[in-house]
Amino acid sequence: MESKKEVVFGHAILLIGALIALYPFVSIILQALTPAPGSGAEGWTLENFISAWTRGGFSRSLLNSAIVAFAVVVATAIAAMLAGYVLSVLKFEWRVAVFALLMIGLVLPSEARIIPLYNLFASTGLLNSYWALILPQIASSFPLATFWMANYYAQLPESLSEAASLDGASEFEILRHIYAPIGMSAVLTLSCLVFLFTWNEFMLALVLMPDNVAVQTAPLSLSFFAGNERTTEPQVIAAAAVLVALPVVVAYFFLQRRFMQGLLEGAVK
Amino acid sequence: MASVDIRNVRKSFGKTDVLKGISIDVDDGQFVVLVGPSGCGKSTLLRMIAGLETISGGDIKVGDDLMNAVPPKERDIAMVFQNYALYPHMTVAQNMGFSLKLKKIPKAEIRKKVEQAAEILGLTPLLERRPAQLSGGQRQRVAMGRAIVRDPKVFLFDEPLSNLDAKLRVQMRTEIKSLHQRLRTTMLYVTHDQIEALTMADVIVLMNEGRIEQAGPPLELYDLPANMFVAGFIGSPAMNFVHGRIENGAFVSTKGVTLPLGVAPEGLEGKDVVYGVRPEHLHVVTEPGVGAEAEVQIIEPAGSETQVHLTLGGDEIVGVFRERLDLAPGSTVRLTTDSAAVHLFDPESGRRHIL
Ligand SMILES: Nc1ncnc2c1ncn2[C@@H]1O[C@H](COP(=O)(O)OP(=O)(O)OP(=O)(O)O)[C@@H](O)[C@H]1O
Ligand SMILES: [Mg+2]
C-alpha cells in the first residue's frame, strides 16, 4: 500500500508536469482569443481566426496538408499491412534481411536524406508538387509502420492462418477475411501516429516545395505567414497556429483513447 | 469420407529426425487415436496429413489421391486445434460458415447447414456471440462445428480437450465419440492421455520417439502389449514390473520372492525376465500358505476402488482392489494373481515373450 504522503507527492509531480506541458498551449490559445491592436473588439474574440484564415491563405494550405496526409496515411497503412502479413504470417524467406533493411530506414536521420531527395526530385521534375512531399513521407513512415504491423501479426497464434487455409482460403483470402479485419485496430492506431508525423512535417516541405504556393502545406504557410506578420499582430499568428494544430489535437485525442483501450483489453484478458 | 493411407512417412527438421518411418492404414470411417509421450511426433504427423508441414519422405494418401504435394486448402480435411483457432472477429455462425462462404455457397444454404451443426452441438443459442464471449467448452464445440459444417473427407483433432477441466473433458470425450458414431467420418485424434485413447479409439496407434510401438484395438494393446513400453503406457495405474529369472518353471525376483506363473514358460528356464502384472489383476488372499507376501506402504481409497502401494521383497508395486479391505500401513498381506494376466518381457529388448 502507498502511504497518503506518497500519493500526494506523486500527484503533485504529475500536476507540475502537466502545467509545464500545457503552459505554451494554453498561452497560445489565450493569445489567439485576445483582440489584436487596432481592432475594435473588447474581451474575448474570434476575429483573429477570421483574419488569419483570410490573410494567410490557410484554406488552401490546410487542404494541401490534408491531401498529403491522407495520401501518406492510406498508402502507408496498406503497404504496412501487406508487408506485415507477408513477413509475419507467410514467413517470407528473406524476412531477416528485410527487417535489417527496414532498420536502416528507421535509424537514418531524416536530415541526411534531404539533399539526395532534392536532387532526385529536381531531376525528375517533381519538385514543388504534391509528390515531392507524399513519396518521401510514405518511404520514411514505412519502416516503423511495417514493424508495427509485423509485430502485431506475430502475436496472433499461427493456427489462425492454418485453420483458414484448411477452411479453403488462399493466402490473399486469409489476409482479406482474417488478418485485415483483425488488424484494423492496429492499423487505426498506426494511422493516427503517421498522421501526426505527416501533418507536422516542416523540413521536407520547406526544401522540396518552396516555390509553389498552390501546393504548400499548413506548417510551411504558417511559417511564411509568421515571417511576414511577426512584428505587428502576434494574436493573429497565434490564431493561425491554433488553426494549423487543430487536426493534430483531434488525432491525438483519438489516439489516446485507442491507447487506453489497448491497455484495458490487455488487463481484462 | 475416405480412408487414409500413411506409408513409411518421415519428417526431419534440419538434422533432427522427428518421424522415422510411420505406416498407418486408416479405414474409411474409422476413429484412430495417435497417442504417445510428449515430443514423440504426434502433432507433426497430424499436421503433415493436413498439409501444414512438408513431408520429408514416404507417402500420404487420402482415398486414392496422393496428398504429398497438395496444398492444405485443397485437401478437404478439417482440423480442430488445441487452442481452437477460432476467428476472433467473427460470430459463432460466421466462424462455422466461413469455409462455405469461401466456396460461394448461397447464404440461405450456409445458414441452414450452420443451424444443423449448431443443433447437433447445442450451440443454437450462441450463434450470434463472438468467441471471446464463450466458455472453453463452448469454444471447443464451435471448433468442432466449423469442421462438421464442411462435411470433410477426414477430421483431425490435435489434443482438443487438453484446455478443459477434468469433468468437461470426460463429457466432451463422450460427445466426440457420439459425434463420430453419428457422422461416420474418418477421424484421427491426437492425445497424450491414454484414457482418452482407450475410451475413444477404434484403433490406437501408440508412438514413441518417432516410431510406432504398437497399433491395434484398445483392448489388444491393453491385453497383449507388444513390449514393456506399451505395457507401461497403456493402463492406469501403470503395469507393475518386477525383475528376476525363471527357476524350475517358476518366477523368482532378484529380491528372492517367488511369484505365481500359469504354465511353466518353455525355453525361458534359467533366463532373466521381467514379470509384468497390472495393479487391477492382483488379489489379496487370506488362506494361509498361498501367494507372495507384501508389506502395505500407502493406502489411497477412491470410493469404488482402493489403490495400495506395497513392497514385495524390495520391489515397489501397486495394487488396485475393488473389495473393501481392512488394511493398515505396515501390515502384511499375501497376493496372488490370475496367471493368465501375467506377462513376461525380455529385459534387453523389452519385448513380450509369447507364453
Ligand atoms: N518446427 C519445428 N522445428 C524443429 N523441431 C520441431 C518443430 N516442430 C516440432 N519439432 C520437434 O519435433 C518433435 C515432435 O514434436 P510434436 O509437436 O510432433 O510432438 P507431440 O508428440 O505432438 O508432443 P506433445 O504431446 O507435447 O504435443 C519434438 O521434439 C519437437 O521439438
Ligand atoms: Mg502436440
Side-chain angles (χ1 to χ4, degrees):
Chain A
M1 270 294 282
E2 297 168 60
S3 73
K4 191 154 185 192
K5 237 190 213 161
E6 280 172 322
V7 174
V8 171
F9 186 66
H11 279 78
I13 288 188
L14 288 176
L15 198 68
I16 293 168
L19 285 178
I20 293 174
L22 277 176
Y23 171 73
F25 196 69
V26 172
S27 73
I28 281 270
I29 290 182
L30 291 180
Q31 194 168 25
L33 293 169
T34 316
S39 104
E42 302 266 321
W44 301 127
T45 174
L46 288 176
E47 71 179 8
N48 295 331
F49 291 94
I50 295 161
S51 63
W53 184 268
T54 46
R55 281 195 273 148
F58 282 105
S59 58
R60 180 77 235 173
S61 65
L62 283 170
L63 179 67
N64 289 338
S65 272
I67 290 170
V68 169
F70 180 78
V72 171
V73 165
V74 170
T76 307
I78 292 174
M81 183 190 274
L82 291 171
Y85 176 69
V86 170
L87 291 168
S88 281
V89 183
L90 302 186
K91 304 253 179 308
F92 178 59
E93 208 178 334
W94 304 102
R95 65 182 178 282
V96 177
V98 173
F99 279 128
L101 268 176
L102 291 178
M103 199 52 125
I104 297 177
L106 214 51
V107 297
L108 199 69
S110 60
E111 289 77 6
R113 348 178 201 198
I114 279 199
I115 305 299
L117 275 177
Y118 182 87
N119 292 334
L120 177 71
F121 284 118
S123 68
T124 50
L126 292 177
L127 224 50
N128 289 309
S129 74
Y130 287 132
W131 296 115
L133 213 46
I134 291 173
L135 294 177
Q137 292 199 89
I138 293 173
S140 61
S141 324
F142 182 72
L144 178 71
T146 301
F147 274 116
W148 184 280
M149 291 312 296
N151 184 47
Y152 183 79
Y153 283 150
Q155 288 168 0
L156 300 173
E158 264 176 66
S159 51
L160 217 51
S161 69
E162 292 174 346
S165 73
L166 284 170
D167 266 346
S170 65
E171 284 176 354
F172 183 73
E173 284 170 324
I174 295 175
L175 173 64
R176 181 172 151 220
H177 294 293
I178 311 289
Y179 284 85
I182 293 179
M184 240 346 123
S185 82
V187 168
L188 278 179
T189 312
L190 173 70
S191 299
C192 278
L193 277 177
V194 173
F195 177 81
L196 291 185
F197 298 151
T198 311
W199 190 272
N200 286 334
E201 175 55 57
F202 175 69
M203 176 94 113
L204 272 178
L206 182 65
V207 175
L208 299 177
M209 44 172 50
D211 307 325
N212 185 354
V213 179
V215 297
Q216 274 166 9
T217 52
L220 192 59
S221 60
L222 174 64
S223 146
F224 288 157
F225 183 63
N228 297 340
E229 314 273 331
R230 188 185 321 264
T231 46
T232 53
E233 290 174 305
Q235 291 82 1
V236 180
I237 299 171
V242 171
L243 280 179
V244 171
L246 210 56
V248 174
V249 175
V250 172
Y252 172 79
F253 278 115
F254 192 61
L255 190 63
Q256 195 233 8
R257 275 200 29 202
R258 298 207 61 82
F259 268 128
M260 293 306 292
Q261 240 171 13
L263 288 177
L264 289 178
E265 265 171 30
V268 175
K269 244 176 229 164
Chain B
M1 287 208 266
S3 60
V4 179
D5 190 7
I6 299 165
R7 221 21 72 227
N8 204 18
V9 159
R10 295 168 181 281
K11 178 72 185 177
S12 349
F13 288 110
K15 285 210 172 89
T16 39
D17 295 330
V18 173
L19 296 179
K20 300 159 187 169
I22 300 276
S23 300
I24 308 172
D25 276 320
V26 182
D27 293 340
D28 191 2
Q30 225 171 20
F31 196 117
V32 172
V33 174
L34 303 173
V35 66
S38 188
C40 71
K42 311 177 292 287
S43 298
T44 306
L45 180 59
L46 205 69
R47 292 168 56 81
M48 286 163 82
I49 299 170
L52 300 173
E53 300 279 358
T54 56
I55 299 172
S56 309
D59 290 329
I60 294 179
K61 278 187 183 174
V62 173
D64 295 325
D65 306 322
L66 188 63
M67 285 292 152
N68 291 31
V70 178
K73 73 182 191 99
E74 285 159 28
R75 290 197 185 193
D76 197 11
I77 288 175
M79 180 156 168
V80 176
F81 292 81
Q82 183 173 352
N83 64 2
Y84 317 137
L86 300 180
Y87 311 127
H89 58 299
M90 297 185 193
T91 63
V92 169
Q94 286 167 337
N95 262 281
M96 286 165 65
F98 182 58
S99 59
L100 303 179
K101 182 176 154 193
L102 289 172
K103 280 194 205 148
K104 310 242 179 330
I105 289 177
K107 276 215 174 90
E109 198 175 326
I110 296 179
R111 190 77 216 168
K112 208 176 91 202
K113 287 199 172 179
V114 166
E115 274 166 6
Q116 272 171 2
E119 189 65 44
I120 296 175
L121 294 165
L123 289 170
T124 310
L126 306 176
L127 279 176
E128 295 315 315
R129 292 218 199 153
R130 281 175 205 280
Q133 302 164 309
L134 301 176
S135 72
Q138 291 166 338
R139 284 180 209 180
Q140 214 284 327
R141 282 202 193 100
V142 177
M144 292 208 301
R146 198 164 61 177
I148 293 175
V149 163
R150 287 177 47 193
D151 192 16
K153 285 190 189 139
V154 181
F155 265 81
L156 307 177
F157 296 86
D158 192 357
E159 310 214 18
L161 306 185
S162 57
N163 289 347
L164 305 180
D165 67 43
K167 198 168 171 196
L168 200 52
R169 203 147 55 207
V170 173
Q171 185 194 334
M172 289 307 295
R173 203 159 80 190
T174 317
E175 281 189 28
I176 293 177
K177 194 163 177 174
S178 82
L179 190 70
H180 176 249
Q181 278 164 3
R182 177 175 182 149
L183 301 175
R184 285 283 149 211
T185 309
T186 313
M187 294 190 181
L188 274 97
Y189 184 105
V190 162
T191 178
H192 59 253
D193 179 352
Q194 52 94 23
I195 302 269
E196 260 175 46
L198 284 171
T199 51
M200 299 173 83
D202 294 327
V203 170
I204 294 181
V205 175
L206 176 50
M207 292 173 59
N208 185 30
E209 294 181 352
R211 289 201 175 80
I212 295 180
E213 295 280 351
Q214 189 173 357
L219 293 182
E220 189 176 302
L221 269 72
Y222 178 86
D223 290 333
L224 299 170
N227 54 46
M228 283 174 72
F229 180 84
V230 179
F233 195 90
I234 302 288
S236 170
M239 185 184 278
N240 296 300
F241 294 119
V242 180
H243 289 258
R245 70 167 66 211
I246 304 294
E247 283 172 15
N248 305 321
F251 174 84
V252 181
S253 80
T254 46
K255 308 279 165 34
V257 181
T258 303
L259 293 174
L261 281 180
V263 279
E266 280 173 41
L268 293 176
E269 186 59 39
K271 290 221 170 107
D272 287 343
V273 294
V274 177
Y275 182 101
V277 62
R278 294 196 182 278
E280 54 272 33
H281 294 147
L282 291 173
H283 308 294
V284 171
V285 282
T286 43
E287 306 101 82
V290 186
E293 274 200 356
E295 190 184 327
V296 175
Q297 301 293 333
I298 297 167
I299 304 161
E300 296 172 341
S304 65
E305 57 184 38
T306 304
Q307 193 170 320
V308 184
H309 296 254
L310 310 117
T311 48
L312 185 81
D315 293 305
E316 292 187 11
I317 61 169
V318 176
V320 171
F321 306 107
R322 301 198 65 90
E323 64 273 28
R324 301 266 159 120
L325 296 167
D326 190 18
L327 298 175
S331 64
T332 304
V333 292
R334 282 195 316 281
L335 299 173
T336 60
T337 180
D338 318 327
S339 48
V342 172
H343 304 292
L344 295 180
F345 299 95
D346 183 315
E348 301 284 309
S349 67
R351 240 178 248 128
R352 185 170 59 90
H353 291 297
I354 312 291
L355 297 181

